[in-house]
Amino acid sequence: MQCRANFPKTTQPMRPSMVHYQPLDAAHGLSCFKLNFSNNAAKLARCTSSPFSLPWGELRAGWHLGTSMAWFDGLTPGTPAHSIASTVNTRVRVVAGPGTGKSYAMKRRVARLLETGVAPDLILPVTFTRVAAQDLHRELVGMGVPGCNALNAHTLHSLALRILMRNHVLAATGRIPRPLNDFETEAMIYDLMTSTRKKKEIAARRQAYEAAWARLNNQVPGYAPSPEDAAFQHDLLAWLRFHQAMLIGEVIPEVYRYLSANPGAPERAEFNHILVDEFQDLNKAEQAIIELLSNAADVCIVGDDDQSIYSFKHAHPDGIRDWLVVNAGADDLSLVNCQRCPTRIVDMANALIAHNVHRPVPRPLVSIPAKGPGNVSILQFPNLDREVVGVVTRIQQMIAAGTPAGDILVLAQSRAVGTPIYEALLAGGVPARSEYTESELENKDAQRAFALLKLFANQDDRVALRWLVGKDGHNFHAAGYRRVRDHCEANGLSPWQVFSQLSAGVLGLPHTKPIVTAFNALLADLNALAALPDLAAVVDTLFPAGQAATRELREIAVGLITADPTMDAPSLVGELIAAITQPEIPTDIQEVRIMSLHKSKGLSSPVTIIAGCVNGLLPRAPKGPLTPIEQQHYDEEQRRLFFVGITRVKADPTNGKPGTLILTYSQEMPLASAMNAGIAPAYVNYGTAVLQASRFIADMAPAAPAPVFVP
């Protein structure tokens, strides 16, 4: 039985003088009650054992309500922000350009729902990042909004994992939501190889499998996998089920399969109000989940197709473009006044994005004169070394002049550009923070340390065990492991149990000696970790101070243990996995931040530097041949990415922060560096890649200043 709430669609907070609770349904073994307001305007279903009455003030105290600020304080009726917060339409679409105050308006909408008595657990805010969810909660607390302490905002990925972990869902799906990191799939690939199925084919079929589900190709009439694809999917799913794991790309489709196959699932009626941020960056399966969850709920989606930059995750910007077609009668609201950027950058952004033709309803940003023109520089350097020195020198000069390091954001689409800047800042005594954490797991030392930590936390982590016993063997010891797995499946044993029996000599399997030797070495490593005094010592051993390969992982782990000294190993592993698979950028830091343009989504900074503005990085060359229409769509998304980057600049002239944008690029760089970064140079001259300025710089004319050469 569910306790549900139905509330009036009112735009002003109710203030009943007395609340009376009476039983609603005792037939299900629970006694529920409702709130009867004196004006009969609302009722709230909650659970209790007996009816009672409370003055409204006592009820508020029990819910930690407080009323320091009403949802409508400071909002002018008739403005877009007030309309977004106050509309009672069951379907609302908000198209909001960068810096136009969508977060502010959405928080006021949530505040109105809570103030009018909607129970916090009946509201689902879906944010793009965990930091955005934390910001929502913090600001509602600051407003003294009723029920905000009980409000749970989620990323869609975290919500999906939460649903998959419920016992009845586990029983229905038969899947364990233990996501694989990319490096862990290497063992899986070797195990799936056959005489006719090679590594490249497996990688391609796996990508096709995940992409098909992200795009819901199964809903397209006539779609069917080929016999080869069907056989591969059978073997893939068998491997994942045996190893009690799931591809990261399966998490959302698995929830979609469960919800679509179970129209009576409690999750489909769990919420009364759903609010979704960055809707354009969700893929088709994610958008379909929102639709399934919203059968019984009011829905408000917010986004901007001009900021859709995640096609590599199969984002579906047509979902927000066509949303009104499938939601007839919905409110269509817009935010266009850019309250973040200087006027010149708004003009540059409008000139840039106007080159995209696939914009069903162009919505130019409107600048605010009070923000001032800001400071914009476009600098060309002779080579990458000089570009790095130029960027670092300017950062040092700004800090010396009083700019806080935390006010400076450096964006680079490749570690080949971003990492040298980061290293040079540290060498120059500038506090800096690199946000390329997920790339750390490209390093073998980091992979081994992370896998060891997983197995140390849980010896039944079959994926970590499989990777560790195979990593140094020919073909990942696939032949020997096949015999171990066969024995497991025939006898209902786990891999750890079988390896332990083989190690102790109580079991013998042919052709397993090399992999058992690897297990024995692994066992010695785990015993050494177990002998350490605490988890902090384990972290020091696996991620030693001063080891560049695991620097960011160490920083996260040490920070987590410092914040919670009682944290156990499984909790630490869970937090590290979340940090890698769903990397977050804290907004309240004291260092210069360095990251990709993709990762900067949702951030703003008084100073933004975009380094490496060359063709081949901005825009990045496509990985394979494209048709003319595919090329056009690809180029337009790359242009949207640059649009997102330049609009991170935040102007606050009254506090001495005019808003600064610096774009830099090089004439040349070593060919090896260019190749490692995936840059296709204009041409090659004796081992040197000759580069061209990003064509997006010309797209911003005449609003942008002329580039300046810096020798």
Side-chain angles (χ1 to χ4, degrees):
M1 185 195 70
Q2 280 194 305
C3 287
R4 304 278 306 156
N6 296 298
F7 294 95
K9 292 173 177 175
T10 175
T11 60
Q12 299 296 331
M14 297 171 293
R15 294 291 185 264
S17 58
M18 182 67 68
V19 183
H20 176 68
Y21 293 80
Q22 67 184 50
L24 285 181
D25 185 359
H28 294 85
L30 289 173
S31 181
C32 295
F33 58 81
K34 65 181 179 181
L35 273 78
N36 290 329
F37 293 96
S38 57
N39 59 3
N40 289 321
K43 56 184 178 180
L44 168 63
R46 306 285 291 172
C47 293
T48 188
S49 58
S50 62
F52 61 94
S53 297
L54 278 178
W56 176 251
E58 291 181 33
L59 175 69
R60 290 198 319 180
W63 273 40
H64 308 287
L65 296 189
T67 56
S68 61
M69 182 177 183
W71 71 266
F72 50 82
D73 286 352
L75 291 181
T76 303
T79 61
H82 186 275
S83 298
I84 292 166
S86 64
T87 179
V88 295
N89 197 321
T90 59
R91 294 290 185 270
V92 181
R93 182 185 77 167
V94 179
V95 178
T100 55
K102 68 179 176 67
S103 297
Y104 173 81
M106 291 293 284
K107 288 162 189 169
R108 293 305 187 94
R109 182 174 178 82
V110 174
R112 176 181 68 80
L113 294 173
L114 291 169
E115 285 188 20
T116 53
V118 179
D121 59 346
L122 298 179
I123 303 173
L124 172 64
V126 178
T127 61
F128 192 63
T129 66
R130 287 175 292 148
V131 167
Q134 295 160 5
D135 287 345
L136 171 65
H137 180 265
R138 182 171 56 251
E139 295 203 20
L140 291 173
V141 169
M143 291 171 61
V145 174
C148 59
N149 285 328
L151 183 73
N152 290 314
H154 295 273
T155 64
L156 197 58
H157 190 270
S158 69
L159 176 67
L161 285 173
R162 189 188 72 166
I163 291 173
L164 289 174
M165 286 302 295
R166 293 173 176 173
N167 287 335
H168 65 279
V169 181
L170 288 169
T173 64
R175 300 294 303 278
I176 305 295
R178 188 283 196 195
L180 272 73
N181 292 112
D182 280 346
F183 76 90
E184 293 173 323
T185 63
E186 186 176 8
M188 179 185 73
I189 288 172
Y190 278 104
D191 287 347
L192 294 176
M193 286 174 59
T194 66
S195 59
T196 58
R197 189 192 290 160
K198 305 304 181 185
K199 288 179 65 175
K200 286 186 178 181
E201 178 189 342
I202 291 170
R205 290 191 188 279
R206 172 208 158 186
Q207 291 174 356
Y209 166 74
E210 292 185 275
W213 271 107
R215 296 167 177 156
L216 292 186
N217 288 350
N218 62 311
Q219 294 185 350
V220 177
Y223 171 79
S226 67
E228 294 80 7
D229 282 336
F232 168 75
Q233 290 178 22
H234 175 273
D235 293 346
L236 171 67
L237 289 173
W239 191 96
L240 291 167
R241 288 192 176 99
F242 173 77
H243 289 90
Q244 300 177 350
M246 189 176 288
L247 299 173
I248 290 175
E250 282 190 294
V251 172
I252 293 297
E254 198 65 43
V255 172
Y256 171 79
R257 280 192 285 258
Y258 164 72
L259 292 175
S260 59
N262 294 277
E267 289 79 13
R268 291 184 61 164
E270 187 170 350
F271 304 104
N272 279 359
H273 297 272
I274 298 176
L275 303 93
V276 187
D277 196 10
E278 305 289 6
F279 193 79
Q280 79 284 346
D281 286 327
L282 304 183
N283 62 42
K284 198 169 183 181
E286 291 167 331
Q287 291 171 359
I289 286 177
I290 296 298
E291 183 178 352
L292 292 171
L293 292 174
S294 63
N295 284 358
D298 292 359
V299 180
C300 176
I301 68 163
V302 184
D304 177 17
D305 54 319
D306 281 339
Q307 296 183 77
S308 180
I309 58 174
Y310 288 101
S311 66
F312 65 92
K313 294 182 178 179
H314 315 295
H316 185 57
D318 285 341
I320 192 169
R321 293 168 178 160
D322 300 337
W323 198 77
L324 297 179
V325 175
V326 295
N327 290 275
D331 279 354
D332 185 22
L333 305 173
S334 297
L335 291 169
V336 296
N337 293 328
C338 185
Q339 303 174 50
R340 176 193 299 159
C341 301
T343 57
R344 185 167 203 175
I345 291 176
V346 171
D347 292 341
M348 292 165 59
N350 283 332
L352 173 72
I353 205 66
H355 286 269
N356 281 4
V357 298
H358 294 98
R359 302 173 71 207
V361 183
R363 293 176 173 84
L365 291 171
V366 177
S367 60
I368 297 177
K371 293 295 179 181
N375 300 321
V376 181
S377 302
I378 304 177
L379 309 175
Q380 184 185 48
F381 295 87
N383 55 55
L384 179 59
D385 288 343
R386 289 294 305 142
E387 182 178 0
V388 170
V389 171
V391 169
V392 171
T393 298
R394 281 158 179 77
I395 289 174
Q396 290 173 322
Q397 291 171 344
M398 284 186 283
I399 291 175
T403 300
D407 279 0
I408 301 173
L409 180 64
V410 179
L411 307 180
Q413 275 306 89
S414 170
R415 288 182 70 124
V417 177
T419 298
I421 294 173
Y422 172 57
E423 301 288 357
L425 286 171
L426 293 180
V430 177
R433 179 187 178 98
S434 171
E435 298 292 354
Y436 295 101
T437 307
E438 68 276 19
S439 298
E440 278 206 343
L441 291 183
E442 296 171 2
N443 179 277
K444 291 294 183 183
D445 290 337
Q447 292 171 0
R448 178 182 176 275
F450 195 38
L452 266 175
L453 181 61
K454 288 182 179 181
L455 198 59
F456 173 76
N458 175 19
Q459 72 176 27
D460 288 322
D461 187 324
R462 298 185 178 193
V463 174
L465 175 60
R466 170 66 189 102
W467 188 87
L468 285 164
V469 297
K471 66 182 181 64
D472 295 324
H474 175 66
N475 286 346
F476 252 79
H477 288 315
Y481 188 75
R482 176 73 258 177
R483 290 173 171 80
V484 171
R485 179 178 165 187
D486 287 345
H487 188 80
C488 289
E489 293 179 326
N491 295 276
L493 299 174
S494 72
W496 182 272
Q497 290 172 319
V498 173
F499 275 119
S500 297
Q501 291 175 3
L502 290 167
S503 176
V506 299
L507 173 67
L509 295 175
H511 308 296
T512 58
K513 183 176 179 180
I515 199 170
V516 173
T517 300
F519 175 77
N520 289 334
L522 171 61
L523 198 57
D525 290 337
L526 291 172
N527 288 335
L529 292 177
L532 295 173
D534 53 31
L535 188 57
V538 172
V539 168
D540 284 338
T541 301
L542 293 176
F543 312 121
Q547 180 172 280
T550 57
R551 178 168 45 208
E552 283 107 350
L553 284 171
R554 175 182 171 81
E555 287 178 1
I556 296 171
V558 170
L560 289 166
I561 294 173
T562 301
D564 180 9
T566 65
M567 175 173 284
D568 59 15
S571 298
L572 177 62
V573 169
E575 291 293 337
L576 284 173
I577 289 173
I580 293 166
T581 59
Q582 303 176 69
E584 300 294 340
I585 312 300
T587 55
D588 183 21
I589 62 172
Q590 308 302 317
E591 304 98 348
V592 175
R593 294 166 291 177
I594 305 169
M595 66 191 73
S596 68
L597 276 76
H598 283 98
K599 195 172 286 189
S600 72
K601 187 74 169 290
L603 299 180
S604 62
S605 182
V607 178
T608 299
I609 301 171
I610 306 180
C613 298
V614 296
N615 285 334
L617 280 183
L618 288 165
R620 187 181 287 278
K623 292 183 178 180
L626 301 176
T627 65
I629 189 64
E630 289 172 339
Q631 184 69 52
Q632 186 178 52
H633 282 288
Y634 180 85
D635 289 344
E636 291 199 358
E637 181 179 70
Q638 292 285 296
R639 188 175 287 109
R640 292 195 295 266
L641 179 62
F642 199 64
F643 174 81
V644 166
I646 66 175
T647 54
R648 299 308 93 197
V649 181
K650 182 177 182 179
D652 186 10
T654 59
N655 289 307
K657 300 179 180 181
T660 298
L661 174 66
I662 302 174
L663 308 177
T664 69
Y665 53 98
S666 306
Q667 286 182 306
E668 61 185 35
M669 67 190 303
L671 178 60
S673 297
M675 293 179 65
N676 288 336
I679 299 173
Y683 61 92
V684 177
N685 183 23
Y686 296 104
T688 297
V690 180
L691 310 174
Q692 292 179 332
S694 168
R695 59 179 178 269
F696 297 152
I697 291 176
D699 286 349
M700 295 184 294
V708 174
F709 181 73
V710 182

